[in-house]
Amino acid sequence: MKVAIIGLGYRLGYLGHVFNEMDPDFEIVGYFDPDPAGMSVLDEHGISPGVQHGSPEDLVKAGGYDLLMIGSPNHLHLDHIRLGLEAGNKIFSEKPIVSTIEQTYALAELMAKHGTERLLVGLVLRYAPLYRDLIKARDDGLLGKIVSVEAAEHIYPYHGAFFMRDWRRYEKWSGSFMLEKCCHDLDLYNGLIGARPERVASFGGRKTFVPENDPRSEGVNDMSLFHRKPSGWNGSDKVFDSDGDIIDYQVAIIEYANGVGMNFHTNLNAPDQFRRFAVFGTKGQAEGDFIRAGFKVTDVLSEATTIDKTYEATALSQHYGADETMAAEVVAHVMKAGPLPVSPLDALEAGILALSMDDARRSRKVIDMRPIWDRYDEALTVKGAVA
């Protein structure tokens, strides 16, 4: 498979390596990025980035690829997706595919015009073996009707410091931390629950990465922990005095249209990080942790453990065995029209939830999401939509 890249950051540099491992015919024919942070990853693995182009338009006009891959900062995704769709390309966009509610409506209108089949999205956790086992347990009836979900994603302090230093520290570029980082998780639970969220409340802010917590104020001069993960475009060295506007902790409660309730918690300063869920159904309980690599299902009536499974880490994947599976299935989809487990509409709906959480956090109000869904649905059926 031949690809062209707009936005050769660390993520697409890494995915270039993964795709290259999964597809012997993989080739990058060209890229556009004025400051390609991911070039070092390609160089490390001996992968050519192809021809450097002076603009996204020049890259697309040159053609010669099967898939246009977009890894630019989030606020630019919409323009780059539009460019590819209007050129008739098949596109892979990193998540989140847009960064605001207004961009969501605009992309929905593009989906109405061009269809959804040519836009793929990098919500990689949909490909994780653990998530697929959770969905199978649901579909096999082991959980009964889902009643409530408890979920969390917490990250190491060095990773949290990365967000305080990277371009993602500004909501004008990232959308928000909840959108940028946690849209993966929100998508998973939207898919599990099988309904749209209708009401959301949320609280959070920044309490860890603030000047009063700078270790140097207590005589700790070794700050290497907080610089372990390099930043890319428009990065900064500031951690506890970051000029960004993202949060470093947030909690939310959500009510879905089918009555399921969920709470979600994220924190950027977890020295023993985890990414886990507990799903409570009328017939069973499911617990899992992507980082600690375990999955368990317990039957209500017998109290017996019906599934107890652990997962082996892979050297290639950064996402619990999901990256290489995603690469293989994306190649199969592009070259042979194979199925995929996630759509751009799933990505848009996860983004709507994340952005609504932030609206609730800022306003300190319960947000009724139904007006958003009404406008979103209207955008998906604009005049001229494809069948």
Side-chain angles (χ1 to χ4, degrees), residues 145-150 189 192-199 253-263 279-281:
K145 292 183 178 180
I146 296 173
V147 176
S148 59
V149 178
E150 176 182 313
Y189 305 121
L192 171 73
I193 292 166
R196 286 176 171 175
E198 282 204 340
R199 278 169 287 277
I253 54 175
I254 305 101
E255 182 181 35
Y256 283 80
N258 60 1
V260 173
M262 181 172 82
N263 60 51
V279 180
F280 301 89

Side-chain angles (χ1 to χ4, degrees), residues 185-203:
D185 305 78
L186 302 180
D187 169 62
L188 296 186
Y189 305 121
N190 283 355
L192 171 73
I193 292 166
R196 286 176 171 175
E198 282 204 340
R199 278 169 287 277
V200 61
S202 183
F203 306 93

Side-chain angles (χ1 to χ4, degrees), residues 142-349:
L142 298 183
L143 306 180
K145 292 183 178 180
I146 296 173
V147 176
S148 59
V149 178
E150 176 182 313
E153 181 189 9
H154 304 309
I155 63 176
Y156 282 133
Y158 84 83
H159 203 171
F162 160 79
F163 278 96
M164 294 298 143
R165 295 172 16 250
D166 193 60
W167 60 262
R168 295 165 174 85
R169 69 190 184 276
Y170 296 125
E171 290 191 354
K172 66 181 180 181
W173 290 335
S174 65
S176 71
F177 178 82
M178 186 63 74
L179 178 70
E180 158 64 24
K181 187 70 174 73
C182 301
C183 66
H184 279 305
D185 305 78
L186 302 180
D187 169 62
L188 296 186
Y189 305 121
N190 283 355
L192 171 73
I193 292 166
R196 286 176 171 175
E198 282 204 340
R199 278 169 287 277
V200 61
S202 183
F203 306 93
R206 195 188 304 179
K207 290 186 177 180
T208 294
F209 293 103
V210 294
E212 66 189 71
N213 294 327
D214 192 324
R216 290 171 294 191
S217 67
E218 300 180 0
V220 178
N221 294 318
D222 183 2
M223 296 288 285
S224 59
L225 166 66
F226 304 106
H227 296 268
R228 185 181 301 170
K229 184 177 174 67
S231 59
W233 174 70
N234 270 318
S236 167
D237 288 332
K238 294 182 177 182
V239 178
F240 292 90
D241 53 348
S242 170
D243 61 350
D245 54 11
I246 61 169
I247 55 88
D248 62 24
Y249 81 98
Q250 190 168 346
V251 296
I253 54 175
I254 305 101
E255 182 181 35
Y256 283 80
N258 60 1
V260 173
M262 181 172 82
N263 60 51
F264 186 80
H265 180 198
T266 186
N267 193 295
L268 282 65
N269 189 47
D272 188 13
Q273 68 175 4
F274 55 85
R275 194 173 199 170
R276 67 189 181 201
F277 58 82
V279 180
F280 301 89
T282 55
K283 294 184 178 181
Q285 171 184 334
E287 302 167 72
D289 191 320
F290 290 93
I291 292 173
R292 299 178 185 182
F295 179 53
K296 180 180 178 182
V297 176
T298 305
D299 181 70
V300 167
L301 294 179
S302 67
E303 299 181 349
T305 299
T306 54
I307 298 175
D308 191 357
K309 188 172 182 179
T310 57
Y311 302 85
E312 294 293 329
T314 66
L316 186 59
S317 182
Q318 294 179 347
H319 291 95
Y320 334 115
D323 290 292
E324 59 265 56
T325 303
M326 182 181 73
E329 294 188 12
V330 165
V331 171
H333 175 81
V334 172
M335 305 307 292
K336 302 176 183 177
L340 292 176
V342 63
S343 78
L345 299 184
D346 296 323
L348 287 173
E349 295 189 9

Side-chain angles (χ1 to χ4, degrees), residues 97-112:
I97 52 176
V98 291
S99 63
T100 67
I101 291 290
E102 290 302 319
Q103 285 190 347
T104 299
Y105 300 142
L107 184 52
E109 290 181 359
L110 284 174
M111 294 293 92

